[in-house]
Amino acid sequence: MTTLVGIHAKLLRAEHQISWITDESHKLCADIQQSIVREVHEDIDKQVWVYRGEMRRPPVEWSIIVGEILYNLRSALDHLVWQLVLANGQNPGRHNEFPIVLNHESWGQTRGRALKGVSQRHEAMIGFLQPYNAGIGIQFDIGMLKVLNDLGNKEKHRHLVLAMIVSRGIEPLDSQLDDMSARPPFRGSLITGRIETGKVLLELNNANMDIVPSFKVDVGFANIDLPGRTLPHILDKCLSTVKGSVEFLTTPMGDGLAEPQSIP
């Protein structure tokens, strides 16, 4: 008997944990944002936005939860291969796993062992999902499988997925949008990256310019390895890709795979 119950339970658990860490990180970022202050420095003819709060680091428990999310997502794909082998009337074993490779040569070296017992059709479909393919016609980002695999391997074998609070840019405030066309153009610099006490995050020329700010510094909860995107966004994209991969390989349910059942 084959079933998708365990796979969907893992995805549901990951979804709940992503929602929790998203909410908690938003609260922390909003709190940090309150300590970013605008200061006028007439001696250098600049106005700057500086973080004047205490150094805040995300709790290490968050990294543990991120690791659990990555594990459940990666494990769901391996469980899926196990079920596909059963659905093909074969006996799965320790060799079976969902391969994630970066080129056609690696695919050729890996698929025979990892997908032993999987039907030719499903093997071809898994091959189509590999990150080195374009994924034309796929409604999710297959490139996120590489991200999931890389972060999961680091978390499993090396260290926790380390995160930091970063400045990501500036964000418009709809409630304070002004017509800036009549003002002189702003010149200055934006400093992105880790937020630390006393760090200048934004500076503009002309200390005497009458500015009612129509923006705020965008604060995010980011992974050290992928600072350009927030960690909740990365996890959510990984979840969408795993969900999409499961659906792609099991719909329609004509291969002997049982429909998922409700979990108490």
Side-chain angles (χ1 to χ4, degrees):
M1 174 65 178
T2 56
T3 178
L4 300 179
V5 171
I7 294 168
H8 283 270
K10 283 177 173 289
L11 296 180
L12 183 61
R13 174 66 171 170
E15 186 172 0
H16 288 166
Q17 289 181 307
I18 291 171
S19 177
W20 183 88
I21 207 164
T22 298
D23 290 343
E24 291 302 306
S25 64
H26 283 172
K27 292 176 186 175
L28 177 58
C29 288
D31 186 43
I32 287 175
Q33 211 157 35
Q34 298 302 312
S35 296
I36 299 175
V37 297
R38 173 177 174 255
E39 298 178 355
V40 175
H41 295 245
E42 294 186 355
D43 56 328
I44 57 174
D45 199 28
K46 289 183 181 295
Q47 48 194 317
V48 300
W49 281 255
V50 188
Y51 178 61
R52 292 301 185 192
E54 296 180 358
M55 187 67 182
R56 303 284 298 276
R57 299 185 185 277
V60 69
E61 290 81 4
W62 291 11
S63 291
I64 300 298
I65 292 172
V66 169
E68 292 174 358
I69 293 169
L70 294 169
Y71 170 79
N72 279 321
L73 293 179
R74 187 65 181 89
S75 175
L77 293 173
D78 291 335
H79 283 212
L80 177 59
V81 168
W82 188 278
Q83 295 301 318
L84 291 175
V85 174
L86 290 175
N88 195 37
Q90 304 297 312
N91 294 319
R94 295 178 60 185
H95 52 276
N96 287 124
E97 63 179 340
F98 190 103
I100 300 175
V101 298
L102 303 182
N103 54 64
H104 186 71
E105 181 181 1
S106 296
W107 170 249
Q109 296 170 350
T110 304
R111 63 179 179 176
R113 179 177 183 275
L115 299 179
K116 183 179 180 180
V118 172
S119 70
Q120 289 185 348
R121 185 172 80 88
H122 281 130
E123 179 182 309
M125 293 171 74
I126 292 173
F128 184 67
L129 293 177
Q130 295 306 302
Y132 67 87
N133 287 319
I136 297 175
I138 298 293
Q139 300 302 310
F140 49 89
D141 184 1
I142 62 175
M144 294 306 296
L145 288 178
K146 178 183 182 303
V147 174
L148 171 62
N149 203 51
D150 289 348
L151 288 178
N153 282 336
K154 286 180 180 179
E155 202 284 334
K156 183 167 59 176
H157 298 294
R158 303 177 193 175
H159 52 70
L160 296 176
V161 175
L162 302 175
M164 57 187 177
I165 304 299
V166 300
S167 168
R168 305 179 63 241
I170 57 176
E171 180 180 332
L173 296 174
D174 292 338
S175 62
Q176 296 184 16
L177 288 178
D178 294 332
D179 179 11
M180 307 301 283
S181 59
R183 299 181 182 274
F186 298 147
R187 290 185 177 86
S189 59
L190 177 70
I191 299 91
T192 58
R194 185 194 299 269
I195 293 179
E196 299 174 336
T197 301
K199 181 176 180 179
V200 174
L201 306 176
L202 172 69
E203 63 177 33
L204 297 177
N205 66 332
N206 196 334
N208 296 317
M209 185 182 294
D210 179 21
I211 297 178
V212 177
S214 58
F215 58 83
K216 65 179 180 180
V217 177
D218 184 17
V219 176
F221 175 56
N223 171 241
I224 288 177
D225 298 311
L226 299 166
R229 292 177 284 181
T230 66
L231 190 51
H233 176 72
I234 292 171
L235 295 173
D236 193 55
K237 291 278 286 184
C238 286
L239 172 64
S240 296
T241 294
V242 174
K243 278 185 173 181
S245 298
V246 171
E247 183 177 0
F248 179 73
L249 288 161
T250 61
T251 305
M253 311 292 287
D255 302 302
L257 292 173
E259 290 280 6
Q261 303 171 15
S262 60
I263 306 296

